[in-house]
Amino acid sequence: MKTILIVEDNPGIRDLVRDYLGEHGYRVRVASGGQEGLLEARHHPPDLILLDVMMPGMDGLDFLRKYRVSERTPVIFLTARDQEIDKVLGLELGADDYVTKPFSMAELLARVRALLRRTGEVPSAGVLRAGVLELDPATRTFQVRGRRVDLTRSEFELMHAFMGAPRRVFSRLDLLEHLQEDALGSERTIDVHIRNLRAKIEDEPGRPRWLETVFGVGYRLSPGEER
């Protein structure tokens, strides 16, 4: 059964969509705002997200900026905005489709089914592999050459971000936001996490093979052949 996460602050719309999709065979989870939606998506990875754009606090655009750091789950925007520039911005941030309110439930269901068909060959919550590294978000396990390595919550989330986008260069601020530690830590907190990760996964932590420093910018995962 596919799981759909609805992130919508309007309880009337949220409940209506939840009940309709539930009646059509989907497992539905809900969140009333962007921050709650991020936590829900992290702890219960969905197959598709219906995302309201205009919400108090973290809106749909900010949600997508943070979510796309490491996740590729398909997203459909739900919004009252119908200007072309709004649609273009949403799609450029990584939304997969765009439904303008008010919408018919039959049309929304058709779009959900179509998007799930298009993305069905790429399970969102599947195991991530990069070279000899393997990370399973469902069981929250991490292995190097088939050997399990215990990671802290922050270390696991960092590796999830790196393995979700191999070769992408992440700034320290990107990674701090991914950990949602902006209120508690500084960018140097990331350096400490990276040092600890290298000690756990690198053969020679002083000459890192996997977690590379990009001087003046941040870090990236290099998933190439072992040397």
Side-chain angles (χ1 to χ4, degrees):
M1 179 183 290
K2 297 290 186 182
T3 299
I4 297 176
L5 171 62
I6 303 169
V7 185
E8 164 68 65
D9 67 317
N10 184 314
I13 296 175
R14 189 174 63 233
D15 293 347
L16 182 65
V17 175
R18 178 198 61 198
D19 293 347
Y20 188 82
L21 293 177
E23 291 169 0
H24 286 80
Y26 294 99
R27 180 186 298 112
V28 183
R29 306 189 71 89
V30 298
S32 59
Q35 195 67 45
E36 181 184 347
L38 281 178
L39 292 174
E40 181 67 27
R42 181 166 297 173
H43 293 297
H44 304 282
D47 297 289
L48 183 145
I49 297 174
L50 297 175
L51 179 63
D52 185 25
V53 175
M54 298 178 67
M55 295 183 288
M58 180 186 293
D59 65 18
L61 298 176
D62 284 339
F63 173 100
L64 201 56
R65 287 190 185 95
K66 292 177 181 293
Y67 188 67
R68 281 288 183 252
V69 169
S70 60
E71 304 294 343
R72 295 293 174 268
T73 300
V75 173
I76 298 177
F77 265 156
L78 306 177
T79 180
R81 295 176 173 175
D82 60 359
Q83 297 297 312
E84 183 178 6
I85 184 63
D86 294 323
K87 296 179 182 180
V88 170
L89 179 58
L91 294 172
E92 287 186 343
L93 283 174
D96 299 273
D97 200 355
Y98 206 106
V99 176
T100 303
K101 299 176 183 176
F103 50 81
S104 79
M105 298 304 294
E107 178 190 357
L108 180 63
L109 177 61
R111 288 177 180 265
V112 165
R113 286 172 170 167
L115 187 52
L116 286 174
R117 278 198 302 272
R118 292 205 304 270
T119 59
E121 295 180 357
V122 186
S124 61
V127 175
L128 300 176
R129 295 183 178 85
V132 299
L133 310 179
E134 180 176 303
L135 182 146
D136 187 342
T139 60
R140 295 190 69 80
T141 55
F142 179 78
Q143 298 183 48
V144 180
R145 299 186 190 88
R147 176 181 60 86
R148 178 165 175 164
V149 176
D150 293 327
L151 302 180
T152 66
R153 186 196 68 82
S154 295
E155 291 164 359
F156 187 91
E157 296 301 336
L158 288 176
M159 288 309 302
H160 195 186
F162 284 126
M163 294 181 69
R167 296 191 176 86
R168 171 182 166 175
V169 178
F170 290 88
S171 70
R172 291 177 177 82
L173 183 57
D174 289 336
L175 296 170
L176 200 60
E177 289 181 347
H178 182 75
L179 294 181
Q180 298 184 332
E181 290 184 355
D182 47 331
L184 299 175
S186 69
E187 292 183 27
R188 293 303 170 192
T189 301
I190 297 300
D191 296 340
V192 175
H193 289 317
I194 295 295
R195 185 167 63 248
N196 292 337
L197 271 171
R198 284 172 170 162
K200 291 183 177 182
I201 72 173
E202 299 279 0
D203 294 330
E204 299 178 71
R207 297 178 61 236
R209 166 65 188 84
W210 308 108
L211 291 177
E212 296 181 342
T213 299
V214 180
F215 291 102
V217 183
Y219 299 98
R220 71 180 168 202
L221 175 67
S222 178
E225 298 296 324
E226 294 188 86
R227 62 187 173 210

